[in-house]
Amino acid sequence: MDVAFVSTNEGKFREVASLLAPFGVRVRWSPRTLPELQADRLATVARAKLAAVPASSRRVLVEDSGLFLEAFPGFPGVYSAPVYALLGFGPILRLLRGRTRAAAFRTVAALRWDGTVRLFYGEVRGRIALGPRGAHGFGYDPIFLPEGAARTFAEMGPAEKDAISHRGQAIRRAGAWMRRRAGPRARAVARRSDREQM
Ligand code: IMP
């Protein structure tokens, strides 16, 4: 089974494609720009992105994610993308001097599947590093240390990040839903195509 993932962010696409492969879901990347509603909740933004994709696309996945700093509730949150694009992470590191470095990444994935709309959530807690480290991933990965880890997301390989990340949790939930929804016949086809790829 196939789903279109609509996002201009190639880093997200790579993660989503490899997260959904084990569920027998093939992801087609649609790198088009969707209007980003100004709203204070990821779920509202994710729903609005999905609504902006023409109804002729019957199986579509979008997501909205953000970094949330405990010291500054809601920031950068839904504004994570423009804050990063305009300022990078320098200002965040400066703002956190002398304050709690606790932070979380959150994702809301919105799926349209043959007329049904479902939302899936993921969160990973952690803290902001004293400075950027690592070369993998994208966005704020070099400054985010997931709880219990001594390395930033950017110091981990993709599989290690996917296993614990906010996007990993939300997208695996979406994958499990799609597999259940597809029924036994589609599951058998997915298993067969997995075997053929081995
Ligand atoms: P949006 O979901 O397109 O609004 O963008 C979310 C922004 O949050 C991205 O552009 C990144 O700057 C940041 N972000 C979201 N998820 C991640 C992640 O997994 N790693 C690093 N930065 C992320």
Side-chain angles (χ1 to χ4, degrees), residues 3-14 16-17 26-32 61:
V3 71
F5 179 66
V6 187
S7 169
T8 53
N9 186 325
E10 189 173 0
K12 286 185 180 181
F13 163 68
R14 282 183 206 285
V16 168
R26 205 173 24 227
V27 181
R28 282 177 289 110
W29 185 27
S30 175
R32 53 194 273 198
L61 182 65

Side-chain angles (χ1 to χ4, degrees), residues 7 9 12 15 36 42 45 49 63-67 77-78 80-82 84-85 105-107 137-142 153 161 165-167:
S7 169
N9 186 325
K12 286 185 180 181
E15 291 184 10
E36 283 242 0
L42 295 176
V45 179
K49 282 186 186 175
E63 64 99 278
D64 203 61
S65 303
L67 177 69
V78 289
S80 295
Y84 179 76
F105 266 127
R106 297 191 188 118
T107 291
F138 65 94
Y140 299 96
D141 279 345
F153 268 164
K161 177 184 173 190
S165 78
H166 49 315
R167 188 165 300 100

Side-chain angles (χ1 to χ4, degrees), residues 1 16 33 44 47 55-56 68 89 119 124 152 155-156 167:
M1 46 192 167
V16 168
T33 308
T44 313
R47 271 189 197 281
S56 53
F68 293 78
F89 29 64
L119 299 190
V124 58
T152 66
E155 292 176 296
M156 298 179 176
R167 188 165 300 100

Side-chain angles (χ1 to χ4, degrees), residues 53-125:
V53 181
S56 53
S57 299
R58 296 189 53 78
R59 294 182 169 184
V60 186
L61 182 65
V62 300
E63 64 99 278
D64 203 61
S65 303
L67 177 69
F68 293 78
L69 304 176
E70 197 175 297
F72 298 96
F75 179 82
V78 289
Y79 304 107
S80 295
V83 167
Y84 179 76
L86 286 171
L87 306 167
F89 29 64
I92 289 184
L93 295 174
R94 283 194 292 281
L95 278 171
L96 290 185
R97 279 189 201 136
R99 297 177 193 268
T100 171
R101 309 190 77 82
F105 266 127
R106 297 191 188 118
T107 291
V108 178
L111 175 71
R112 182 196 297 153
W113 190 265
D114 299 342
T116 300
V117 170
R118 295 289 303 241
L119 299 190
F120 302 92
Y121 299 83
E123 178 186 65
V124 58
R125 292 173 183 274

